[in-house]
Amino acid sequence: MNAHLSRSGALGGLLVVAVAINLRPILTSIGPLLEEIRNSTGLGYQQAALLTALPVLCMGLVPLLQPWLRRWLSEHHGMVAGLAAIALACTWRLFLHSGTALIASAALAGLGVAFIQALMPGLVNRWFSKRLALAMGVYSAALMSGGGIAAVLGPRVAETAGHWQAGLGVWLLPALLALVLWCMARPRSAQERSDPGTGRHFFRSRRAWLLAGYFGLINGGYTSMVAWLPAYYRQIGGSAQGGGELIGFMTLFQVLGALGLPLLLRRLADRRPGLLLALLSQLLGFVGLLLAPSLWSGLWVALIGFGLGACFSLSLTLTLEHLRDKPAAAGALAAFVQGIGFIITGIIPYLTGWLRDISGDFQASWLLLTLTVVLMLVVTLRFSPGGYASAMTTMPSAR
């Protein structure tokens, strides 16, 4: 048995969780402290949207370069560079005071997350090929848990320290911990420079573009909710701490969706039933925010969170299963899908922020997200497992 397979049990799971926890605090720590940040730096809503949009755009651009980056950057060095960039950006946030510097730190942290996020699906696919859906659920749940913890604890840390910078910068600690664990405990196979198939790209594959657009739109509600849910809560009379706790509540149901739905449907080879259930859950939540925003806000947020969590996990699993018998090529496909997808996902909070600016409330933003979910319900029907092989017959190379 290969070294990386023999160590893909508890140790592999620990590494996946330790790294994944660091991939969302740079986004979710902003929303609960947004008013303090805006008052201190003078950022408007559209400018503040860059604090979410820029990292997500980085998450899109870097994976698209992966076929070329892997020629000179190994998986190990990519992980180290990513975790170091996150730690450096969080350290910078402890001391900065201007909006421009804060936006620049968001770009730096986004680059770090992008390096890691481009590598993780392929790594999970390689370590847990026989339990892919469950492993992707654990990865997704850990990723979302990190975001929820940051949203809940960020305002508390800021209040204790007496300045909002502490609520953003404290997340250098889990980044340093993950960096130490990766360097000490990673499977030595992670040092390989590249695997067969990592030099492939999918720019000429129609199915790859469809998967990428699907991933971007199906997860677009997450970046908008992270960016604007706390501000929306404060707009209807809530507090910064309450807004953070609402993100934490959403994250709890994201974790339930990311783990629970794949586990419940683990015997199904067809991912469409799970994706349709997850999208319907999102749809009910966004319709609730439109029609009764202050009546049962907790219920609407829970439904949205459950749907978003399941969608993220299942859409990545769907992508990897298109090339299940070719793990390296599947990892490259996942990098492409995340690349294009996160560019789309990064644009959505900017659009919803713009709608908030011109309309004066968030109802137009929720309407846009509702229409997006309806469109994705229709697209989901195209992903029949029997069509995976024929859809991926064209396998272009980066060379």
Side-chain angles (χ1 to χ4, degrees):
M1 182 177 290
N2 293 337
H4 70 268
L5 289 176
S6 64
R7 300 188 64 183
S8 65
L11 179 59
L14 175 63
L15 282 170
V16 167
V17 170
V19 173
I21 282 173
N22 289 280
L23 302 184
R24 289 297 177 268
I26 64 161
L27 300 178
T28 60
S29 59
I30 295 289
L33 297 169
L34 184 59
E35 291 308 309
E36 288 77 7
I37 292 169
R38 291 181 64 243
N39 291 335
S40 174
T41 62
L43 292 174
Y45 278 105
Q46 262 191 289
Q47 291 172 310
L50 292 174
L51 299 175
T52 302
L54 270 180
V56 178
L57 289 174
C58 289
M59 295 176 207
L61 292 173
V62 170
L64 294 179
L65 300 175
Q66 184 174 326
W68 295 274
L69 289 174
R70 288 300 298 272
R71 295 180 184 180
W72 57 272
L73 188 67
S74 68
E75 182 178 81
H76 167 60
H77 290 105
M79 282 288 193
V80 169
L83 289 168
I86 293 170
L88 181 60
C90 290
T91 303
W92 188 8
R93 287 181 166 186
L94 286 172
F95 304 102
L96 58 78
H97 294 281
S98 75
T100 301
L102 184 58
I103 291 170
S105 75
L108 175 61
L111 286 172
V113 172
F115 274 105
I116 297 168
Q117 213 158 241
L119 296 168
M120 285 297 285
L123 184 149
V124 171
N125 190 31
R126 199 168 68 241
W127 287 358
F128 303 100
S129 59
K130 297 183 185 299
R131 296 166 289 168
L132 180 58
L134 181 59
M136 286 307 302
V138 170
Y139 164 64
S140 303
L143 179 149
M144 294 161 191
S145 295
I149 291 168
V152 172
L153 294 185
R156 295 184 184 277
V157 172
E159 184 178 0
T160 301
H163 55 90
W164 57 264
Q165 290 91 339
L168 305 186
V170 68
W171 309 110
L172 74 94
L173 298 176
L176 291 175
L177 176 62
L179 182 58
V180 170
L181 283 174
W182 176 265
C183 290
M184 293 180 61
R186 72 189 184 280
R188 296 302 167 178
S189 61
Q191 291 180 310
E192 295 177 21
R193 196 165 192 77
S194 63
D195 298 312
T198 54
R200 299 184 186 277
H201 70 69
F202 294 86
F203 285 98
R204 290 179 290 175
S205 168
R206 291 183 180 180
R207 177 51 64 94
W209 278 98
L210 180 62
L211 287 166
Y214 184 76
F215 178 84
L217 291 173
I218 205 174
N219 293 295
Y222 175 75
T223 46
S224 291
M225 294 296 282
V226 165
W228 307 127
L229 182 60
Y232 163 75
Y233 184 72
R234 295 183 77 167
Q235 180 178 286
I236 62 175
S239 64
Q241 184 61 44
E245 289 174 354
L246 204 57
I247 290 287
F249 186 64
M250 184 182 79
T251 301
L252 173 64
F253 282 87
Q254 281 184 280
V255 172
L256 289 174
L259 282 174
L261 207 52
L263 185 62
L264 181 66
L265 303 177
R266 65 188 180 279
R267 299 188 186 280
L268 291 182
D270 192 343
R271 301 300 163 199
R272 290 177 296 177
L275 285 163
L276 289 171
L277 283 172
L279 284 165
L280 286 171
S281 180
Q282 283 192 56
L283 182 62
L284 287 173
F286 284 123
V287 170
L289 285 181
L290 277 170
L291 300 182
S294 59
L295 184 58
W296 292 321
S297 57
L299 174 60
W300 311 139
V301 168
L303 288 167
I304 292 168
F306 182 86
L308 288 171
C311 280
F312 184 86
S313 175
L314 290 170
S315 59
L316 275 179
T317 304
L318 171 74
T319 296
L320 291 168
E321 287 180 341
H322 270 70
L323 292 167
R324 192 177 191 115
D325 59 338
K326 300 173 182 176
L333 175 62
F336 176 85
V337 165
Q338 289 185 101
I340 300 297
F342 276 119
I343 290 173
I344 296 169
T345 301
I347 291 170
I348 291 175
Y350 192 79
L351 290 176
T352 50
W354 173 72
L355 288 171
R356 162 63 179 80
D357 271 346
I358 64 172
S359 68
D361 61 39
F362 286 101
Q363 294 304 93
S365 304
W366 307 148
L367 178 59
L368 175 64
L369 295 174
T370 301
L371 295 175
T372 299
V373 172
V374 171
L375 175 62
M376 291 303 97
L377 280 167
V378 176
V379 175
T380 300
L381 300 176
R382 294 196 58 181
F383 296 121
S384 169
Y388 292 172
S390 60
M392 300 305 301
T393 52
T394 302
M395 295 284 292
S397 171
R399 296 175 177 82

